[in-house]
């Protein structure tokens, strides 16, 4: 399996990942301000067209380009069950589009729940509901490799903000505590550096920072 970071030319775009396999998957879509370039990179990098696009949560910097990618690749989009409606309805408060002086373009989004499995053909990612940054934030965990695509729940040395609409510090603490119980060996966060040799010590420091 390969999880590839798709580079964006927009500095505040989320990290966008292309996951290879018999059924390739894209995770997150950026703001949409560099969609043409991102679509071109994905087309060159993936032998097969992506078959699904997953949003780790509903914020504009992760889903502003979702409609562009769905239109380009003709594949379904997914998000956590408590965030999917905010994307479908282009809710300006919960998607924080107003902070970017823009609006998420409405797009049909299927709901994912805790324990759902996304199969790329080579590997199976389990959906973990990790509220805190948003009500419907999710992480994707691949047990055989210990790979965690963590959205804005967990970064290499910190965790996501909880002061946006729908955010909750108590929920964030619970979510981070749950991640303590899984074997994370590779971390692919929503922003910042990836880590292919993740150590439990990283998470311990984040948990201490969060007061868990």
């Amino acid at each position: 399996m390969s999880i590839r970071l798709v580079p964006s030319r927009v500095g505040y775009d989320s990290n966008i990942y292309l996951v290879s396999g018999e059924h390739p998957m894209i995770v997150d879509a950026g703001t949409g301000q560099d969609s043409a370039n991102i679509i071109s990179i994905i087309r060159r990098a993936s032998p097969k067209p992506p078959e699904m696009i997953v949003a780790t949560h509903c914020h504009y910097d992760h889903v502003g380009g979702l409609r562009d990618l769905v239109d380009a690749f003709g594949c379904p989009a997914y998000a956590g069950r408590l965030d999917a409606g905010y994307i479908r309805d282009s809710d300006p408060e919960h998607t924080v589009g107003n902070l970017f002086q823009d609006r998420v373009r409405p797009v049909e989004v299927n709901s994912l729940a805790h324990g759902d499995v996304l199969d790329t053909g080579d590997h199976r990612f389990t959906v973990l509901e990790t509220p805190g940054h948003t009500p419907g934030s999710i992480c994707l965990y691949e047990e055989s490799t210990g790979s965690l695509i963590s959205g804005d729940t967990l970064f290499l040395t910190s965790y996501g903000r909880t002061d946006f609409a729908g955010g909750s510090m108590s929920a964030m603490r619970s979510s981070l505590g749950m991640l303590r119980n899984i074997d994370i060996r590779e971390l692919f966060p929503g922003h910042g550096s990836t880590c292919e040799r993740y150590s439990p010590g990283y998470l311990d420091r984040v948990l201490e920072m969060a007061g868990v």
Side-chain angles (χ1 to χ4, degrees), residues 22-73:
E22 185 67 19
H23 310 289
M25 173 174 70
I26 300 170
V27 181
D28 286 331
T31 59
Q33 296 176 26
D34 196 32
S35 287
N37 175 55
I38 287 163
I39 290 164
S40 177
I41 292 171
I42 292 171
R43 282 181 169 149
R44 293 196 305 270
S46 183
K48 297 185 64 177
E51 295 187 14
M52 57 187 127
I53 306 170
V54 179
T56 59
H57 62 285
C58 64
H59 283 168
Y60 173 82
D61 53 330
H62 291 253
V63 300
L66 189 58
R67 176 69 178 272
D68 294 333
L69 270 60
V70 167
D71 288 349
F73 298 112

Side-chain angles (χ1 to χ4, degrees), residues 145-165:
T145 59
S147 300
L148 183 72
I149 302 176
S150 59
D152 285 6
T153 297
L154 177 65
F155 306 123
L156 183 56
T157 59
S158 62
Y159 57 90
R161 292 174 58 172
T162 60
D163 57 340
F164 295 121

